[in-house]
Amino acid sequence: MAFQFPNGFLWGAATAAHQVEGNNNHSDFWLMENIEGSTFKEPSGSAVDHYRLFREDIRLLAELGLNSYRFSIEWARVEPEEGQFDEIAINHYRDVLEACKEYNVTPIVTLHHFSSPQWLIRAGGWESEETPARFARYCVYVMSELGGAIPYVCTINEANISIGIKKVIEQMQSGASVQVGINTEMMARMDNYYMELGKAFEVSPREIHTFLAPRTDEGLKVIFRAHVEARAAIREVCPEVQVGLSMSLFDIQSISGGEEHAANDLHEEFLQFIPYIQDDDFFGLQNYTRTVFGPDGALPVHENAEKTQMGYEYYPEGLEAVIRYAAEALNKPIIVTENGVSTDDDERRVAFIERALIGVHACIADGIPVLGYTHWSLLDNFEWQLGFSKRFGLIEVDRSTQKRLPKKSAFYYGSIAKSNMM
Ligand code: BGC
């Protein structure tokens, strides 16, 4: 691919703390993965030991030719008990930012990527009115310690994800076949699991409000208010930093008769949140596939369509469509904070990257301010409920030795980035 991207374009790859670091034992996920009857395929354990190997991983990213790294800071490490901030943890992230600087890599830092401290869940989690203030207090601590080294901060990853989760659960309850990456067999054991979780969190099973769960409308407001409060608090301590959040967006298409469903879906997944994000400095956009609507709602993936390991359609062209509709609704810079594919056939990842970047390039050529593309993921890692079985990485990891092995797609993507920096 010989396209010229703008100077200073951010060529990145992403990870999230809980998925790569290992031993995140103050987080809610740690508890959920390790209790009796857990619905997780396996626990995250030492993950890919990125907490220890971050420097090597950032060096590798830079050697491949990339110039940006999106990673998350783990709230449960920084504030393992409410109001008690851990200096060792914050200094660890200071070292990660130092390593970025040393290798000329621009950091994009996420302050919340799905996992939360256990104490937050005990205190009402993501349905509690108190959560925005608690989140903002944590953000202020991090940014007053590290903000000078952070150019872009993303408060909350996929703030709208609960809408998709709710849809999947409704689909499952209606007996329809589910096309997304949730382990349906495990979900069937949910009731028992929630009983156990209730005991572990010391709250009633109905009061467990982790981030990756269906939300009430009030709960959705809690999340977006947490973003707005955090943004204001961050700007007070670090007026220079660019603040945004990220959202998970599907390319939304329709066949004849499905137009209204498509329009409603766009509103539900995206447009309704614009009041909360219109004062952000940038928009973090994440896309993995498309949804096609017909007269009766979302259509199942066509039987002849290529599917990813997650069960949804392989559709790299979705990214361009999402950038276009986001740009139309929001007048601000866009960073693609995640885009990628879960596959064991790395040739398909190479093709995915090429096709996705053709779309990004077309958007830029039409004047849309896309500042960067961040591939998910830098490393094969812990795919939440589905454990280590799903492989999104540019770099393979042998977990028995924690050896890193860049795939062909890593060299391919790196070579595009390098040719654009010459
Ligand atoms: C999340 C990642 C996840 C990826 C692939 C995104 O929704 O931010 O944490 O691993 O998708 O499923």
Side-chain angles (χ1 to χ4, degrees):
M1 199 178 120
F3 287 129
Q4 202 53 47
F5 281 73
N7 275 341
F9 190 77
L10 298 169
W11 296 96
T15 63
H18 187 76
Q19 294 177 268
V20 293
E21 286 180 348
N23 303 310
N24 184 18
N25 57 6
H26 292 288
S27 75
D28 53 355
F29 274 86
W30 187 264
L31 228 167
M32 295 190 282
E33 293 158 21
N34 289 292
I35 57 162
E36 183 83 24
S38 172
T39 57
F40 282 69
K41 189 160 192 284
E42 56 194 321
S44 53
S46 54
V48 290
D49 207 7
H50 182 69
Y51 195 82
R52 192 173 58 87
L53 298 173
F54 69 90
R55 181 174 295 281
E56 181 185 313
D57 292 336
I58 294 169
R59 179 172 50 76
L60 206 49
L61 173 146
E63 278 172 8
L64 287 167
L66 307 185
N67 64 5
S68 170
Y69 178 40
R70 173 173 180 245
F71 65 94
S72 74
I73 290 182
E74 185 61 48
W75 187 359
R77 286 190 195 277
V78 171
E79 192 180 359
E81 293 299 334
E82 178 161 19
Q84 291 176 21
F85 294 100
D86 185 331
E87 256 183 63
I88 295 177
I90 202 77
N91 285 333
H92 165 78
Y93 292 110
R94 205 184 305 282
D95 292 345
V96 176
L97 288 162
E98 259 310 304
C100 289
K101 190 166 173 206
E102 191 179 326
Y103 294 108
N104 284 320
V105 164
T106 301
I108 301 173
V109 173
T110 304
L111 292 167
H112 185 273
H113 193 126
F114 295 170
S115 45
S116 310
Q118 287 165 18
W119 64 259
L120 187 86
I121 308 306
R122 291 197 179 97
W126 291 95
E127 293 277 342
S128 164
E129 289 294 316
E130 319 274 317
T131 290
R134 291 181 164 125
F135 180 61
R137 180 183 57 192
Y138 148 73
C139 293
V140 164
Y141 174 72
V142 172
M143 296 307 285
S144 54
E145 290 285 330
L146 309 178
I150 301 179
Y152 297 98
V153 73
C154 178
T155 56
I156 296 180
N157 179 64
E158 296 193 341
N160 62 339
I161 186 83
S162 65
I163 295 171
I165 295 174
K166 197 167 153 192
K167 283 183 193 156
V168 171
I169 291 177
E170 281 167 5
Q171 247 179 301
M172 278 181 1
Q173 284 165 345
S174 75
S177 75
V178 174
Q179 307 289 355
V180 298
I182 290 193
N183 185 329
T184 44
E185 180 261 317
M186 287 172 182
M187 291 286 281
R189 307 201 312 257
M190 239 18 185
D191 280 352
N192 192 33
Y193 169 62
Y194 264 81
M195 292 280 290
E196 290 301 321
L197 268 188
K199 285 185 222 156
F201 280 119
E202 297 162 14
V203 294
S204 127
R206 284 168 187 275
E207 298 303 317
I208 302 168
H209 301 300
T210 57
F211 192 85
L212 278 191
R215 280 276 80 78
T216 62
D217 289 347
E218 287 313 303
L220 257 179
K221 284 188 196 140
V222 164
I223 290 179
F224 281 87
R225 273 192 25 235
H227 165 66
V228 170
E229 284 192 30
R231 182 183 65 203
I234 291 169
R235 283 181 175 154
E236 291 238 326
V237 284
C238 292
E240 303 292 304
V241 73
Q242 303 290 298
V243 195
L245 52 52
S246 81
M247 282 172 69
S248 157
L249 297 174
F250 288 71
D251 176 7
I252 300 171
Q253 301 182 359
S254 55
I255 57 167
S256 176
E259 296 82 355
E260 203 179 323
H261 287 296
N264 290 342
D265 197 65
L266 181 65
H267 179 80
E268 188 185 17
E269 298 271 357
F270 179 51
L271 298 177
Q272 65 160 321
F273 301 115
I274 288 185
Y276 296 99
I277 61 176
Q278 63 195 3
D279 293 335
D280 289 5
D281 299 306
F282 71 94
F283 178 62
L285 180 157
Q286 316 200 157
N287 166 259
Y288 285 89
T289 188
R290 68 171 166 178
T291 315
V292 183
F293 288 90
D296 299 324
L299 298 170
V301 177
H302 193 276
E303 58 182 35
N304 297 329
E306 179 178 351
K307 293 191 187 133
T308 74
Q309 286 181 330
M310 300 294 279
Y312 46 64
E313 188 181 356
Y314 177 100
Y315 192 69
E317 284 70 26
L319 181 60
E320 174 175 356
V322 173
I323 295 174
R324 289 189 187 280
Y325 77 63
E328 204 180 298
L330 292 167
N331 183 22
K332 63 178 77 269
I334 290 173
I335 299 179
V336 177
T337 39
E338 282 182 34
N339 174 249
V341 59
S342 175
T343 177
D344 273 338
D345 179 353
D346 194 51
E347 292 294 341
R348 300 309 292 145
R349 191 177 341 272
V350 169
F352 192 97
I353 293 172
E354 176 174 29
R355 285 162 57 178
L357 286 176
I358 287 173
V360 175
H361 188 269
C363 292
I364 296 174
D366 286 342
I368 299 176
V370 185
L371 304 185
Y373 171 86
T374 319
H375 192 75
W376 183 272
S377 174
L378 179 65
L379 302 158
D380 281 340
N381 63 42
F382 179 72
E383 180 56 28
W384 308 107
Q385 257 218 347
L386 301 171
F388 295 95
S389 62
K390 308 294 172 220
R391 279 172 284 268
F392 279 92
L394 294 165
I395 299 172
E396 182 184 332
V397 180
D398 174 347
R399 293 187 64 238
S400 65
T401 56
Q402 296 293 5
K403 279 243 152 30
R404 275 54 174 153
L405 190 70
K407 302 176 192 176
K408 186 177 167 195
S409 54
F411 295 113
Y412 171 75
Y413 176 40
S415 71
I416 297 175
K418 276 187 197 160
S419 69
N420 268 280
M421 282 183 237
M422 286 195 287

